[in-house]
Amino acid sequence: LALLFFIFKVNRMATLLTLPIFKTVYLLGVSKLADGFGVYFLEKADYLTGFWRLVTNFPVIAYLDINRTTVAGGIILSAILSIPLYFIVKSASAPLLAKYSGMMKNTALSKWVKRVYRASNIIGPGASSVIGRIRSVIIKPKAAKAGIMKRINLTGIIIAAVVLIVIQVVVGLVISPAVGAFIIDNLNRTSAAKITVEKINVWPLTLSFSMKELKVFDPKYPEKRIARIGAASVRVSPVAILSKRLVFSTVNMNEAELDLEGEPDGSFNVQRLAGPAEPPAAGIAGLWKTAYEKRDLFGKVYSIIKKKFSKSGQAQAKAANKVARVTEDLPKGRVVNFKTPSDMYLFEIKDLNMNGHVNIVPSGAQEPVELKNAKIGLKRVAFDPQNGTRLDGINLRGELFKDNASAGRVEFLFSKGHAITGQTAVCNVELKDVDLNAVSFIYEDSLPVRTVKGRVSLVSNTKISGEALDSRNSITLTGQTLEPKTGSAPAVGFIPIGVVCDALNKIDPARLKFNIKGTLEKPEFGGFQETLLNLIKPYVANIGEQVKAKGIEALGKFLNKK
């Protein structure tokens, strides 16, 4: 309100004289009337919900506390009363001024009012004349400048620039490194993981800060490091700050090292950073639950996406876009917040970019794999203890290495959005000559076969709109050796899975193209089985003999086991 007072051409004299009077009247009981207006318009008028959500979260205005019933009611009440009051004062002031202006001219009150008026003009239109008189006493007047320069206060601009530069340097190089340890201590108290930083520099003018040698340790095993960032720069969104929100517009991490270790249930240590994990149940029930929930990375991601894009997930997403009204009682009046779930996250990062490499140690007997020259970009990362984690986009690419030997290249793109039909998503995957064993932790529980060796090149373009699924895929296998997995599907069509594996092992390269339609709940594979059968047809001409041989072999293993 003070900004409005200084910026706009209001009657400052009338404001200064009448503000104490009306403030006193307000405190004596008119606030209850204003509160009644505020309660109706903020809480009961549902048709204004969208309007209040926009206004109360708008930059700068968000700090005016218009979402308080006493403030909103006071503004509405004053707006209503100002219309008749304007005409009353206008009609009454003319005869009063004509009758009493001569009598009031030399009174003590008149002189006091003139002094207040001159003081108020210092922040108003008369400031230039006052400053001009003071300056003329100290400095001799120079010739008037022509053109636009006479409108610019060059001296003031230089002084302001010097002050701002001093603030930037002192805070960035002196104050912020000194309080860096205090900031890290507070972060360690509120977060699940232990964090260490060698140096922090805060740059107030650019709303940014930089960090050097940032390390994050495992909450479960504090001596194990999960991440190391050689250098990081963070920029805060000024629009969000003016809207009473903390949003990081960009986060850049260079010389990054991630150490991902797999757990028996298929999860990774990095997932513990979001909060304490639920301890497994003891006894046989706990073991059964762990075994049941163990899935590869593809299975876990697919389960999450399927849940998000199911009918119930679409309904939740639609409901989440509605504005929620949250009311909090105050000693006088109430505060009414109008927010969507996207406004309620504890913190948010619009763009997170990381360059470096990732060390992956899957659980079990699988060998470690490394993603070098990794470029990872995340879009709209948000976290809140109540709302959970939100991620709207992933862009990942890099070179895979296993035992210091090249294991192929990988590119992955995922983005999520909204349309009339509901939630939408695009997922594109491209693998180039990837070692199947190096990435087996991604797919091992989702395929009906076990890969002994081989390489794969894959191109998959998938679109999800509402519940509709449209996926186009191309797979090329080279140097592969496949084996049927115990407990998997017994046949492809009428051909046993063992016969299919034997046939595929003789085809190098083996190329498959197929589409997936339907929904995530019930995907429909188009052309996969036909393409596969046509591919292996020349190698299963004596299908009867092969089926018989496979059956005898399986029976022999069963009898020997017994």
Side-chain angles (χ1 to χ4, degrees), residues 266 268 294-301 362 366 400 402 431 434-456 458 475 477 480-483 485:
F268 283 89
K294 184 188 182 311
R295 284 174 291 182
D296 56 38
L297 185 59
F298 173 82
K300 286 182 175 293
V301 172
Q366 297 182 50
L400 289 169
K402 181 182 176 183
L431 307 179
V434 171
D435 187 337
L436 284 167
N437 285 337
V439 295
S440 60
F441 64 92
I442 297 177
Y443 64 84
E444 61 182 346
D445 297 324
S446 300
L447 292 183
V449 298
R450 188 175 70 87
T451 58
V452 179
K453 65 176 183 176
R455 288 182 177 258
V456 62
L458 176 145
I475 300 176
L477 298 173
Q480 71 277 5
T481 299
L482 308 177
E483 293 180 351
K485 189 185 293 182

Side-chain angles (χ1 to χ4, degrees), residues 114 138 349 505 511:
K114 288 180 180 179
I138 302 172
I349 303 174
N505 292 339
R511 294 185 175 90

Side-chain angles (χ1 to χ4, degrees), residues 144-350:
K145 296 180 180 180
I148 194 171
M149 292 305 296
K150 68 179 181 179
R151 302 292 181 185
I152 298 176
N153 184 4
L154 188 59
T155 304
I157 293 174
I158 294 173
I159 293 172
V162 171
V163 171
L164 293 176
I165 291 172
V166 170
I167 292 173
Q168 177 85 336
V169 172
V170 171
V171 174
L173 299 180
V174 180
I175 297 177
S176 57
V179 300
F182 173 77
I183 296 173
I184 296 302
D185 287 341
N186 280 275
L187 283 175
N188 287 330
R189 290 193 190 99
T190 56
S191 64
K194 179 185 175 184
I195 302 171
T196 63
V197 179
E198 182 179 308
K199 189 177 182 182
I200 297 178
N201 299 99
V202 179
W203 309 103
L205 297 188
T206 55
L207 290 177
S208 62
F209 60 93
S210 57
M211 293 177 286
K212 185 178 179 182
E213 285 299 324
L214 168 66
K215 295 179 182 179
V216 182
F217 295 86
D218 194 325
K220 189 176 180 180
Y221 306 102
E223 71 281 359
K224 287 188 177 182
R225 189 190 71 188
I226 291 181
R228 171 197 167 267
I229 311 297
S233 61
V234 181
R235 188 176 295 275
V236 179
S237 170
V239 176
I241 289 290
L242 293 175
S243 303
K244 270 190 177 180
R245 294 180 60 218
L246 178 60
V247 176
F248 303 109
S249 54
T250 56
V251 177
N252 296 318
M253 301 179 180
N254 299 314
E255 303 174 31
E257 298 177 16
L258 291 181
D259 299 310
L260 305 182
E261 291 188 8
E263 298 292 331
D265 63 352
S267 63
F268 283 89
N269 56 352
V270 70
Q271 293 174 243
R272 289 195 286 267
L273 297 179
E278 180 185 353
I284 300 297
L287 294 174
W288 172 256
K289 183 180 178 182
T290 301
Y292 176 75
E293 291 183 348
K294 184 188 182 311
R295 284 174 291 182
D296 56 38
L297 185 59
F298 173 82
K300 286 182 175 293
V301 172
Y302 181 78
S303 177
I304 293 171
I305 294 177
K306 185 169 69 172
K307 185 177 179 181
K308 290 285 186 183
F309 287 86
S310 64
K311 288 184 179 180
S312 60
Q314 294 284 2
Q316 290 177 3
K318 189 176 181 180
N321 288 326
K322 293 182 179 179
V323 179
R325 185 192 286 115
V326 182
T327 303
E328 179 185 352
D329 290 328
L330 297 175
K332 285 190 177 182
R334 303 175 188 175
V335 172
V336 185
N337 292 310
F338 298 86
K339 294 185 177 181
T340 62
S342 60
D343 301 323
M344 297 181 184
Y345 285 100
L346 183 64
F347 73 89
E348 177 186 333
I349 303 174
K350 288 186 177 181

